[in-house]
């Protein structure tokens, strides 16, 4: 395929994120200037290109590694089209790039089942999508140069559209990484410098008592970082005392559930969870490879590895709930309980960007639970980072919620009982997705770089 990346972007992609320590932290909106905005955009752009340049077989772009998602070629074009469409909406561009591609790549999907996909049969060539990306990049750079960038930048300013595009692209780096992780390894080449964590001894299970107290949920407006609509608002919740696992549930712990026949015992599953498991014949976590002689192997981003028993188990919400039922006397935390964990963990709230947690691609995989330097001496480990944490809450707005005119359907369509909440971020989470305020949601049968921890029932 035609090499169309600018020299500085190509150099970034060849190094890979792991040789740069980690992705840059999001800019402070009280001090952001044109140069820092441009640099942050370029880093975000090249990060997505690094991911799609790892696809070495052109035909792989037209496959669906996840049947609930579009072919990979859609996601190659989607982040570019988002910039194009939002710049026009904000009055920062007088025209689109290609009416057909602007519309084709405009919206992602969130189906309950694969039958709900629109069945798009004709996709543009990969070269034409790379060319579309190149043109979109130039349009964004022109907008960055034209804007005044007079700090502080607030939601009402036109610069917000550029920041929205950057953070949207960073969200899609993470969700697209989940698709590549399901693609055949022979269709991918691991980027130079991409490193996985080592395995380690599995820690003994330990529960920590969190005393009762009030906790705050929500991001104030006019803060230091960009935020999405569902983060804003303020809710003070009274949280009774609870006992919570010091660590995320590990692959070793989840393996015991699988080996005990947990996937074949209907009593352990919610009705919706059992229907999903039965319909798809699921026998274990998506990224465990059980072909051949046990134990299962593990699918990392670009390689197959021995199952790392000390890493957090990556499962969907149905699987996490079934494990809790199997264990008996435990459940998933609520959002308020997760926020209360922040309150009792030194530095967990103060580090708004997540600079000292396993976030921002400091490695290309999860780590053993409790392995970050910041966790040493803490009662609770991985309160933020490593993998997302499934919660028991349905996705819901906070008091004071209002949509942003540039993206009025970012959250509203998903405020329902079909979408569960996740908090905390993962190793692949970058930008403001790694902030302490970011609130993620997915259907309970979807996969993300996500695991869970246990709360003891009273």
């Amino acid at each position: 395929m035609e090499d169309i990346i600018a020299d500085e972007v190509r150099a970034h992609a060849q190094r890979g994120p792991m040789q740069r320590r980690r992705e840059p932290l999001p800019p402070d909106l009280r001090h952001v200037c044109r140069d820092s905005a441009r640099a942050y955009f370029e880093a975000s752009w090249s990060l997505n290109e690094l991911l799609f340049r790892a696809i070495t077989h052109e035909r792989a772009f037209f496959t669906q590694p996840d049947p609930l998602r579009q072919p990979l070629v859609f996601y190659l074009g989607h982040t570019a089209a988002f910039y194009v469409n939002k710049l026009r909406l904000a009055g920062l561009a007088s025209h689109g790039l290609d009416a057909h591609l602007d519309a084709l790549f405009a919206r992602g999907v969130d189906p309950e089942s694969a039958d709900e996909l629109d069945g798009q049969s004709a996709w543009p060539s990969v070269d034409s999508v790379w060319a579309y990306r190149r043109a979109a990049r130039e349009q964004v750079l022109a907008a960055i140069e034209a804007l005044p960038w007079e700090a502080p930048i607030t939601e009402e300013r036109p610069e917000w559209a550029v920041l929205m595009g950057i953070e949207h692209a960073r969200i899609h780096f993470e969700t697209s990484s989940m698709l590549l992780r399901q693609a055949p390894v022979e269709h991918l080449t691991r980027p130079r410098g991409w490193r996985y964590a080592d395995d380690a001894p599995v820690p003994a299970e330990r529960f920590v008592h969190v005393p009762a107290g009030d906790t705050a949920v929500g991001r104030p407006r006019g803060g230091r970082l960009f935020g999405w609509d569902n983060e804003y608002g303020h809710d003070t919740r009274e949280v009774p005392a609870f006992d919570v696992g010091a660590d995320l549930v590990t692959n070793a712990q989840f393996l015991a559930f699988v080996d005990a026949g947990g996937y074949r015992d209907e009593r352990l599953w919610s009705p919706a969870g059992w229907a999903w498991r039965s319909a798809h014949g699921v026998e274990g976590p998506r990224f465990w490879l059980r072909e051949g002689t046990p134990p299962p192997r593990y699918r990392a981003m670009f390689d197959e590895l021995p199952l790392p028993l000390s890493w957090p188990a990556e499962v969907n919400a149905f699987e996490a709930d079934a494990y809790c039922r199997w264990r008996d006397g435990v459940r998933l935390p609520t959002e308020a309980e997760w926020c209360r964990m922040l309150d009792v963990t030194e530095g967990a709230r103060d580090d708004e960007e997540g600079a000292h947690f396993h976030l921002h691609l400091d490695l290309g995989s999860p780590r053993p639970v409790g392995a970050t330097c910041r966790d040493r001496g803490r009662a609770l480990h991985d309160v933020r980072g490593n993998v997302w944490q499934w919660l028991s809450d349905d996705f819901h707005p906070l008091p004071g919620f209002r949509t942003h005119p540039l993206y009025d359907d970012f959250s509203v369509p998903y405020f329902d009982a079909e979408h569960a909440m996740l908090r905390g971020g993962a190793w692949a989470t970058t930008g403001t997705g790694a902030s302490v305020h970011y609130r993620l949601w997915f259907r309970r049968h979807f996969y993300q770089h996500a695991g869970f921890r246990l709360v003891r029932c009273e």
Side-chain angles (χ1 to χ4, degrees), residues 212-217 235-241 334 336-337 340:
D214 290 343
T215 195
V217 185
D235 197 6
T236 299
R237 302 179 189 175
E238 183 178 344
V239 185
T334 65
E337 286 170 337
R340 187 76 183 115

Side-chain angles (χ1 to χ4, degrees), residues 309-339:
L309 295 176
S310 67
W311 293 9
E314 296 157 284
V315 297
N316 68 23
F318 286 149
E319 293 166 314
D321 178 66
Y323 178 90
C324 291
R325 294 168 189 243
W326 175 70
R327 282 289 304 272
D328 194 20
V330 296
R331 58 173 174 79
L332 296 178
T334 65
E335 182 181 29
E337 286 170 337
W338 182 82
C339 290

Side-chain angles (χ1 to χ4, degrees), residues 77-86 101-103 105-106 132 136:
H78 175 57
T79 53
F82 185 93
Y83 280 111
V84 172
N85 292 319
K86 296 308 179 188
L101 297 184
D102 293 347
F105 294 133
Y132 178 78

Side-chain angles (χ1 to χ4, degrees), residues 323-362:
Y323 178 90
C324 291
R325 294 168 189 243
W326 175 70
R327 282 289 304 272
D328 194 20
V330 296
R331 58 173 174 79
L332 296 178
T334 65
E335 182 181 29
E337 286 170 337
W338 182 82
C339 290
R340 187 76 183 115
M341 292 180 227
L342 296 176
D343 298 335
V344 301
T345 302
E346 183 181 358
R349 276 198 186 271
D350 297 338
D351 183 2
E352 185 175 356
E353 297 93 336
H356 296 94
F357 293 87
H358 185 27
L359 296 157
H360 301 291
L361 278 176
D362 57 349

Side-chain angles (χ1 to χ4, degrees), residues 59-188:
R59 66 180 180 274
F61 280 95
F62 302 99
T63 64
Q64 292 173 261
D66 189 319
L68 296 175
R69 292 290 186 256
Q70 300 280 24
L72 291 171
V73 68
F74 171 85
Y75 300 98
L76 177 65
H78 175 57
T79 53
F82 185 93
Y83 280 111
V84 172
N85 292 319
K86 296 308 179 188
L87 290 180
R88 288 186 67 192
L89 188 59
L92 301 178
S94 60
H95 57 83
L97 297 179
D98 179 303
H100 173 64
L101 297 184
D102 293 347
L104 178 65
F105 294 133
R107 289 180 59 86
V109 293
D110 177 55
E112 172 67 22
S113 69
D115 295 338
E116 297 177 26
L117 290 177
D118 58 14
Q120 171 77 24
S121 57
W123 292 96
S125 71
V126 176
D127 281 349
S128 68
V129 182
W130 281 114
Y132 178 78
R133 286 186 59 85
R134 177 173 56 185
R137 177 173 174 267
E138 293 306 314
Q139 190 176 63
V140 179
L141 288 172
I144 291 173
E145 292 305 311
L147 285 164
W149 295 101
E150 296 173 356
I153 304 300
T154 62
E155 296 174 76
E156 297 77 21
R157 294 281 296 276
E159 292 90 343
W160 198 260
V162 174
L163 297 171
M164 181 179 282
I166 294 172
E167 298 302 341
H168 172 266
R170 289 186 172 276
I171 290 172
H172 273 280
F173 167 81
E174 186 170 358
T175 54
S176 294
S177 74
M178 290 298 294
L179 302 182
L180 264 65
R181 200 172 164 192
Q182 298 172 70
V185 292
E186 58 268 24
H187 290 173
L188 308 172

Side-chain angles (χ1 to χ4, degrees), residues 29 155 160 164 219 225-232 432:
L29 302 185
E155 296 174 76
W160 198 260
M164 181 179 282
R219 176 196 292 277
L225 302 180
F226 175 93
W228 296 99
D229 57 10
N230 69 79
E231 301 171 43
Y232 291 109
T432 59

